[in-house]
Amino acid sequence: MLNYNLQLFSYNELFNDFVNLDLINKLPSRILLTGNEGTGKCTFALHFINYLFSKNETTKYNLSKNSINPQSKSYNLINKLTHPNFYFISKQHEKKNIDVDQIRLMIDFLNKSSLNNYKKVILIDGAEDLNLNSANALLKNLEESNADNLFILIHNINEPILDTVRSRCLSYKLNFNFPDIKFILSDYFNINL
């Protein structure tokens, strides 16, 4: 089960850019979110995925508040990793890397038909954890993927990532500025600066 905040505390401008790109059907199909560890890259990605999947629901993503509706069917399916159009990969606790078998299971997922002809979204949390074999298996899919598949890769900027993986994606660097930090501390942690 995934655990993240229902409120997006930062990156509002980038989030709105992604929404606008989606609305005009220009959203890149391979996105690399890069930044320091703990800066909310995965939370940002999960918020955007919730936006994408809940667009046609009555309990859709609240764009004015950048928050997820906890009653959303998509939100609950994503959290339980049971959404038919969503696939999540991260390094398993007992492993050193994301291994090639995890990528092979993702390939099986991509070969199945999509529910309601919506995009299939693959979120890879920890692109730096791909080993050579898993990265090569992923590369083939990144290169041959069609517009109906969206790959979002999360990368800790302090760890190396294969240049071949980076070059297949459109990179966005996420980092906090002072107003973001001030807002997060005051709103989330109840600390007044």
Side-chain angles (χ1 to χ4, degrees):
M1 186 162 182
L2 298 174
N3 185 18
Y4 53 100
N5 204 300
L6 295 176
Q7 174 74 37
L8 186 63
F9 289 105
S10 190
Y11 312 124
N12 296 340
E13 188 176 327
L14 180 60
F15 192 88
N16 291 333
D17 289 345
F18 277 24
V19 169
N20 291 330
L21 287 170
D22 176 59
L23 292 173
I24 61 171
N25 294 317
K26 298 285 185 186
L27 184 69
S29 61
R30 296 173 306 271
I31 297 171
L32 178 67
L33 299 176
T34 186
N36 287 316
E37 187 174 355
T39 54
K41 300 176 298 296
C42 193
T43 298
F44 176 88
L46 288 163
H47 270 257
F48 188 67
I49 293 165
N50 273 278
Y51 155 77
L52 288 174
F53 287 145
S54 70
K55 284 192 295 189
N56 298 321
E57 294 179 18
T58 55
T59 54
K60 64 178 112 187
Y61 189 88
N62 186 332
L63 287 170
S64 64
K65 295 182 178 179
N66 277 10
S67 65
I68 297 169
N69 185 328
Q71 305 304 314
S72 165
K73 182 179 180 183
S74 294
Y75 166 71
N76 289 300
L77 290 172
I78 290 166
N79 271 9
K80 295 175 186 169
L81 300 175
T82 57
H83 195 290
N85 291 344
F86 174 66
Y87 198 83
F88 179 75
I89 296 175
S90 67
K91 181 177 73 169
Q92 297 171 343
H93 293 293
E94 68 278 358
K95 302 279 185 170
K96 289 183 178 179
N97 299 99
I98 294 173
D99 62 37
V100 72
D101 290 334
Q102 290 175 272
I103 303 300
R104 287 181 183 138
L105 289 171
M106 179 209 68
I107 294 167
D108 290 343
F109 166 79
L110 289 173
N111 288 331
K112 295 175 184 167
S113 60
S114 167
L115 178 68
N116 297 332
N117 291 322
Y118 290 156
K119 280 186 185 289
K120 286 188 171 185
V121 179
I122 295 87
L123 176 59
I124 300 177
D125 186 12
E128 66 276 3
D129 293 324
L130 292 162
N131 63 28
L132 188 60
N133 292 332
S134 58
N136 285 333
L138 176 64
L139 281 173
K140 184 173 178 0
N141 286 278
L142 289 174
E143 291 167 351
E144 298 174 0
S145 179
N146 61 36
D148 294 330
N149 299 325
L150 171 61
F151 287 87
I152 301 176
L153 284 70
I154 308 297
H155 170 233
N156 177 357
I157 201 163
N158 297 314
E159 299 291 330
I161 183 176
L162 289 176
D163 288 336
T164 50
V165 171
R166 183 190 311 278
S167 69
R168 302 308 189 277
C169 302
L170 192 56
S171 293
Y172 295 89
K173 186 173 181 184
L174 279 70
N175 56 5
F176 293 134
N177 56 32
F178 182 73
D180 291 335
I181 294 169
K182 187 177 176 181
F183 176 74
I184 292 166
L185 288 174
S186 66
D187 201 54
Y188 187 70
F189 293 107
N190 288 326
I191 297 173
N192 190 8
L193 284 179

